[in-house]
Structures are given as structure tokens and as C-alpha cells.
Amino acid sequence: MNWNLSDNLFGFDDPDSRGQRIFRRAFELFICYGVLSLAWYWGLYTLRIGDVVLELGLANWLDISFMHGNSLPIWNAGLITAMIVAGFFRLGKWWYSVAFVLLLFQYAARFTLGEIPHSSNLVGMGLLGFALAELFFPERTSKGRFALGFSYFFIGLGYTSAAISKLVARGITWPDGHNLWMWINEKAVDEIARSGFVELNVLQELALSNWWIATAFLAIGLLTEAFAWLIWFKKTRIPVVWGILGLHIGIWITMDILFQLSVMELLLLALPWGAFTDRFWPEKVVGITQS
Amino acid sequence: MKGKSLTKKARTVLLAVLAVYAVTVATHLGEFWPFSIYPMFSQGGNPWSRALVREIPDSDSISWSPVALDDMPGLPYGVATNGVDPIDLANFVSKTQTWSTDRVGALSLMLLSNREADPIRLQVFRVQARLTESNDVDIQATPYVIVGTGIEPGIGSLNPVLVP
């Protein structure tokens, strides 16, 4: 097996196919969709924000309150939309980069109330990958391959970093089931805050009634994160993506947290869509005759 | 452009981004979107703080005493009905150091801005939990603020112990 990281991430010398091209374009389309949904969701939410409790991102460097109390977030969402459409239809190489910068403002304006979310990071990194691909790579195939490889790299790095953060903070006792008890209760309170009521599901009840089961859930999650870097390599990529998807489903069931865009992105990466497409819609090869 | 040269360029761009990533997260407490060290859930077992809102009918008196989760006064109220993210509310309540008139006004804007004109009185609670020595989860709710239609936001609507 080839363990060369660059070859595994980018594969610039690999043969290309119709299926691979469609897959890369579909991935780009998903990132565009993710960016637009974030830009508008954040923009509309920001309209109700009247004070800065915690500065995040760009707000560390500039007073982001100029985005509050007016319709700037909506104008910004509109501009991001125009940039993304222009970028997707290849109307210039700078559009994705400008959209990325505008999205930094949108994020900083939205998350000033203290919440530090992580559900949008993968989409943000995906956009950065396509922005850099447009700036530094010459033609469509290499741009797409770089952007995809860039996303694989930072997905692996992100989840592995999450495991390292846990081990640094709590050591190997992090998977202690009591921690899950605290989080289940915390998320139950969030649900009461959200809807007024809460009803625990069977898995939550099971974890709360048995320390060993709660500990096993956390240990499996930690191991999955710790080996997420294996997504960098072609041979291990798909099983690792499924493992991370399983982790997200576990988090969803036990703690009622669903990182929707991250899960959608992982689902797109979890199956060999390119190979499927090539199998059922093969490209005609011109100039080769069978003897 | 040949594959080798593309690979070299890809490696250079990736390493440059990695360097910016490392510098920004190192200098901004692990977070500079979209860069992050992803520290969520790393602090297992620590006490936590959240927020809940209860609707207090006009006929009920206002109490500022801490209560258990099952003994909260008034009626259940879900902040999602007004489009508010409960995590925002929780952070707003827990991270506010000084409860100024502006801060109470911002909380009132958050909870009431999309509401119809129906009169309503909402009490915001800070909910805190900790693991006891016997490994039980102890949860307590402390009333912080009253907001509502017809209530002028100000320090008069605060729990007296929070008045700056």
C-alpha cells in the first residue's frame, strides 16, 4: 500500500474519469450549499443580536458591533450568495476567496453571544479549500483534486485534534461514564430550554442506569476520533468516514446534538460515488480498438 | 503542469494553511473559525451552567430563591418558539459578568423580539449542575431576570443579588 500522504490526498497523477469529475463537482456544490445556508441562517439570526458577550474569530481584531442593529448581515448574505454563484460558474478566480472573507464577518457577527459552535467548521474549511484551489491551481481537474484532498486532510486533523484535546484535558480517564451522565443532563436541560419539555430516549436511560455502558460509549467515541487521521489514506478512508458518521449518530442519540452539515458532508464522502457513476455510466473511450 | 509539480504546490499551500491554522488557534484560545482545536466535551465531569425560561402568570408572585429543577415556578416555556437558540441564551446568562441595563435590554430583545403583542412575563433561570461526591448529578436553578411585554428592561428586573 502507498502511504505517501500527498499521493493519497491529492492523486494528481491518478487517471481521471467522468465519475470522479461528477463527484468533485457534487462535493463543490455541497460546499456552496453549506456556505449559503450558513450565510443566510447566521444573517437572519444576527438581526436579533443587540450586544457582544464573547468575541470570536475576526471579532477579536475589530469591533463587530457595526453588524448589529441594522440590515448589514442580510446584505452580506446577499453578497456571499453572488460570490458563491460566480465562483461555482467559474466567472473568475477570486470569488470564493471573497466569499470566504465575507463569511468570516458573518460568523463573527453571529457568534457574539458566547456559543462556540463547531458544526460549521468543515464547510468553512471546504470553502477555503476551493478558494485556494482557484487561486493556485491551473485547470479544473487539479483544482478539484486539491480542494477535495484539502478537505480530507482537515477533516482528519480536526477529529484527531478533538481526541487529543480530550486526552490533554482529562487523560485516559476521559471516558468515565459519569461524564456522560453530566452531558446527558446538560443536554436535557437544553431541550427543556428549547421546547419546554424533555423525554429521555432508551439509550440515554440505559447510559444513565449503567456506568459501564456509559463508559463504553465514550471510549468508542474517543477511539474513533483518535484514528480519524486515517481518512488521509485511500485504503482506510471509507471505513474511517463511516466510523465518524457512527460517532455523530451516537452523539445525536445520547446527547441530542446533530452537526447537520458535517454529517451531510461525511455522507457525501462515505461512499465511492465516483466509482458507482463510472460503473453505471461509463465514459466512452475514443481511439482504442479491441483486438 | 505535471503531477509532481502540482503535488509540490499542494504541499506548500497545505503547509502554509497549517501554519496559519496553528498560529491563530494558539493565539485565540483554540478557536479562530474555521480553524479550531475542537475542544468540545474535553472538560468531562466539570460543573456546567445552562439557562431555562419559565412563563410566570401575572397572578403569581415573583421569587428569587434558587430551586430544584422539578420545583421551578410558572409554566414551561420553550425559547425555540421565538427562534432563540438555547445555547445562546445559556451563554448569555453564564458569561455576563455585569448585569447592566443594556445587558438586560439585549436579553429582552433576544427573547421577545419576534413575539406577537400578547402580554407575557418570562423569568430566566441560570441552571447549574455538579457531580456530588457520591457521583450523583446535582442540579439547581437560580432566578436571574424577569423580562416581558410592558416590562421596561433595567436593573429593577434583576435578582437583587445580581444588581451591580
Side-chain angles (χ1 to χ4, degrees), chain A:
Chain A
M1 179 179 158
N2 177 8
W3 288 95
N4 180 293
L5 185 56
S6 303
D7 290 349
N8 275 277
L9 287 175
F10 306 113
F12 289 119
D13 285 325
D14 293 350
D16 205 8
S17 69
R18 171 188 276 159
Q20 296 301 329
R21 285 193 296 277
I22 291 174
F23 172 62
R24 290 195 299 267
R25 196 69 170 143
F27 181 68
E28 183 176 354
L29 185 64
F30 168 76
I31 294 295
C32 290
Y33 158 75
V35 169
L36 295 187
S37 65
L38 292 173
W40 284 100
Y41 178 61
W42 291 348
L44 290 167
Y45 197 94
T46 303
L47 297 179
R48 64 171 57 228
I49 294 177
D51 205 354
V52 177
V53 178
L54 178 75
E55 292 94 355
L56 283 183
L58 277 188
N60 284 288
W61 297 348
L62 56 89
D63 182 3
I64 200 69
S65 61
F66 75 91
M67 299 272 289
H68 298 148
N70 55 51
S71 57
L72 262 181
I74 298 302
W75 285 101
N76 197 32
L79 270 176
I80 292 169
T81 305
M83 303 295 157
I84 289 295
V85 170
F88 187 76
F89 289 106
R90 312 278 184 249
L91 301 179
K93 65 179 187 178
W94 285 95
W95 300 122
Y96 281 152
S97 300
V98 179
F100 179 75
V101 173
L102 294 177
L103 199 62
L104 292 180
F105 281 89
Q106 202 78 335
Y107 172 89
R110 161 62 183 89
F111 293 102
T112 56
L113 297 178
E115 182 185 359
I116 305 175
H118 295 98
S119 53
S120 58
N121 291 54
L122 294 192
V123 168
M125 290 306 295
L127 177 61
L128 180 60
F130 279 103
L132 294 168
E134 285 296 325
L135 294 182
F136 295 107
F137 290 84
E139 32 68 45
R140 193 163 287 196
T141 304
S142 60
K143 286 177 201 288
R145 284 181 167 173
F146 172 78
L148 193 59
F150 184 92
S151 274
Y152 282 132
F153 181 79
F154 283 103
I155 291 171
L157 183 71
Y159 284 96
T160 307
S161 166
I164 294 168
S165 294
K166 293 175 177 72
L167 291 171
V168 167
R170 282 289 179 269
I172 54 163
T173 61
W174 180 86
D176 181 344
H178 295 122
N179 298 340
L180 186 57
W181 291 2
M182 285 288 276
W183 289 320
I184 290 174
N185 277 285
E186 186 178 8
K187 292 300 151 193
V189 169
D190 281 342
E191 182 54 30
I192 299 171
R194 197 184 69 77
S195 65
F197 302 92
V198 70
E199 196 172 339
L200 298 181
N201 63 42
V202 175
L203 220 57
Q204 288 171 320
E205 297 278 13
L206 195 64
L208 286 173
S209 64
N210 189 313
W211 178 85
W212 283 104
I213 290 175
T215 301
F217 283 166
L218 293 184
I220 292 167
L222 182 64
L223 279 174
T224 307
E225 285 185 341
F227 287 98
W229 57 275
L230 286 171
I231 197 176
W232 296 341
F233 302 97
K234 285 178 189 167
K235 286 276 184 201
T236 46
R237 184 166 295 156
I238 288 194
V240 168
V241 173
W242 281 105
I244 300 172
L245 273 169
L247 169 77
H248 275 288
I249 291 168
I251 293 172
W252 183 26
I253 296 174
T254 53
M255 287 187 267
D256 202 22
I257 300 172
L258 182 61
F259 288 10
Q260 277 185 24
L261 284 173
S262 301
V263 167
M264 287 164 77
E265 183 170 335
L266 289 165
L267 278 172
L268 192 56
L269 301 175
L271 288 170
W273 298 108
F276 285 165
T277 310
D278 287 333
R279 185 182 170 90
F280 294 108
W281 190 24
E283 205 160 18
K284 278 184 188 166
V285 180
V286 180
I288 296 176
T289 50
Q290 273 189 317
S291 58

Side-chain angles (χ1 to χ4, degrees), chain B:
Chain B
M1 205 182 261
K2 293 257 196 272
K4 226 175 206 172
S5 146
L6 289 169
T7 302
K8 196 176 165 194
K9 189 184 267 192
R11 214 180 290 152
T12 307
V13 175
L14 196 67
L15 285 173
V17 173
L18 207 51
V20 176
Y21 195 127
V23 169
T24 50
V25 297
T27 53
H28 293 84
L29 301 173
E31 295 291 339
F32 196 94
W33 192 89
F35 308 144
S36 173
I37 60 165
Y38 298 93
M40 62 279 193
F41 299 114
S42 60
Q43 300 296 328
N46 275 6
W48 51 255
S49 173
R50 287 304 209 232
L52 282 180
V53 179
R54 301 285 287 187
E55 184 177 346
I56 310 290
D58 282 340
S59 52
D60 289 8
S61 60
I62 301 292
S63 165
W64 297 110
S65 305
V67 288
L69 210 52
D70 292 334
D71 302 326
M72 294 180 77
L75 307 166
Y77 181 84
V79 295
T81 54
N82 196 36
V84 174
D85 182 338
I87 312 288
D88 277 334
L89 176 69
N91 281 295
F92 193 100
V93 170
S94 67
K95 290 182 178 159
T96 292
Q97 301 288 334
T98 306
W99 283 93
S100 61
T101 299
D102 284 351
R103 196 44 67 86
V104 178
L107 183 61
S108 180
L109 172 72
M110 186 199 289
L111 291 172
L112 301 169
S113 63
N114 281 358
R115 282 198 59 83
E116 302 295 321
D118 298 343
I120 193 164
R121 199 163 59 142
L122 303 173
Q123 190 166 30
V124 180
F125 290 76
R126 181 174 184 176
V127 182
Q128 290 167 287
R130 63 182 184 90
L131 262 183
T132 63
E133 280 181 12
S134 54
N135 284 320
D136 293 319
V137 182
D138 176 51
I139 305 178
Q140 198 170 55
T142 308
Y144 262 45
V145 192
I146 282 276
V147 297
T149 47
I151 299 177
E152 188 62 33
I155 55 172
S157 27
L158 281 172
N159 184 331
V161 300
L162 299 173
V163 174

